[in-house]
Amino acid sequence: MLSRRDFYRFGSIALGNVIALAVAIPGVRYLLDPLSKRAQDRESRSLARLSQLVPGKPQAFPIIESRQDAWVKYPREPVGSVWLIREPREGPKVVAFTAECPHLGCAVGLSADGRSFSCPCHTSSFAFDGSPQNKVPPRGMDPLEVELSDEPDPQVRVKFVRYQTQSKERKPLV
Ligand code: FES
């Protein structure tokens, strides 16, 4: 049988634990929030319909995201872009590359003659299969996973991932 003193002692300990949990849970969720946001970033997003893509011609599509820090929610804005290329021969096959240059992260565009990719910052050059064409970039362009939806005119869905620059190895940013 608990004495009144023990009852108050255990009661106040239990109450203290409940209050500590009530404070800790939102704190832990706040700390883990960026991880869940990164997981969301890696979900596939629809960038185009297959019918929009001209076979053999690279086309760039922006990645639009909204940013949020502890205090401010920013409006949705472009945070990068992706090159999509529909294969000219192999039916509805599409390849995707992030436009972020593996050298130092500038946006890779098309060369003046339109026959390769080229980066305006330090002249990195890449073939349309992403392989490097000079020694400036440490590796080829970074390919992204592509899914086509099961529709007559499929959605082209891409998993957008950012990779470390200045590295021979392809390491996703966490
Ligand atoms: S950032 Fe592209 S060549 Fe340097």
Side-chain angles (χ1 to χ4, degrees), residues 8 13 15 46 53 56 60 75 89-91 118 136 139 142 154 165 174:
Y8 284 124
I13 289 171
L15 185 62
S46 179
L53 303 181
R89 286 178 293 274
E90 293 180 48
S118 116
V136 180
R139 61 176 188 267
D142 298 316
T165 57
V174 277

Side-chain angles (χ1 to χ4, degrees), residues 99-108 118-126 134 136-137 165:
E100 225 161 73
C101 181
H103 182 229
L104 286 172
C106 289
V108 171
S118 116
C119 180
C121 291
H122 315 96
T123 69
S124 280
S125 173
F126 307 91
N134 60 23
V136 180
T165 57

Side-chain angles (χ1 to χ4, degrees), residues 28-48:
V28 169
R29 282 181 58 193
Y30 173 79
L31 289 175
L32 293 179
D33 193 41
L35 296 178
S36 67
K37 286 209 175 86
R38 278 180 205 132
Q40 278 174 17
D41 287 350
R42 295 197 183 164
E43 285 172 9
S44 294
R45 54 185 89 202
S46 179
L47 295 185

Side-chain angles (χ1 to χ4, degrees), residues 8-170:
Y8 284 124
R9 197 155 57 94
F10 289 129
S12 60
I13 289 171
L15 185 62
N17 286 340
V18 168
I19 291 170
L21 267 179
V23 171
I25 287 173
V28 169
R29 282 181 58 193
Y30 173 79
L31 289 175
L32 293 179
D33 193 41
L35 296 178
S36 67
K37 286 209 175 86
R38 278 180 205 132
Q40 278 174 17
D41 287 350
R42 295 197 183 164
E43 285 172 9
S44 294
R45 54 185 89 202
S46 179
L47 295 185
R49 290 274 178 188
L50 187 64
S51 61
Q52 287 175 258
L53 303 181
V54 181
K57 182 173 180 256
Q59 291 165 261
F61 293 87
I63 298 294
I64 311 280
E65 277 178 6
S66 52
R67 283 185 305 125
Q68 186 172 358
D69 61 27
W71 312 106
V72 182
K73 185 169 184 178
Y74 298 91
R76 286 167 63 76
E77 59 183 5
V79 294
S81 61
V82 168
W83 284 103
L84 296 181
I85 310 176
R86 182 174 177 177
E87 297 276 332
R89 286 178 293 274
E90 293 180 48
K93 190 181 168 200
V94 177
V95 292
F97 298 101
T98 171
E100 225 161 73
C101 181
H103 182 229
L104 286 172
C106 289
V108 171
L110 284 179
S111 62
D113 65 6
R115 292 184 179 184
S116 59
F117 291 118
S118 116
C119 180
C121 291
H122 315 96
T123 69
S124 280
S125 173
F126 307 91
F128 284 164
D129 65 1
S131 58
Q133 291 195 315
N134 60 23
K135 292 200 167 135
V136 180
R139 61 176 188 267
M141 287 174 74
D142 298 316
L144 300 171
E145 213 176 301
V146 179
E147 292 167 9
L148 298 182
S149 68
D150 191 16
E151 294 168 72
D153 183 12
Q155 290 183 39
V156 181
R157 302 183 64 83
V158 173
K159 249 180 214 172
F160 183 64
V161 180
R162 286 207 162 80
Y163 292 92
Q164 282 180 21
T165 57
Q166 292 185 284
S167 158
K168 276 190 190 316
E169 284 172 55
R170 195 161 280 134

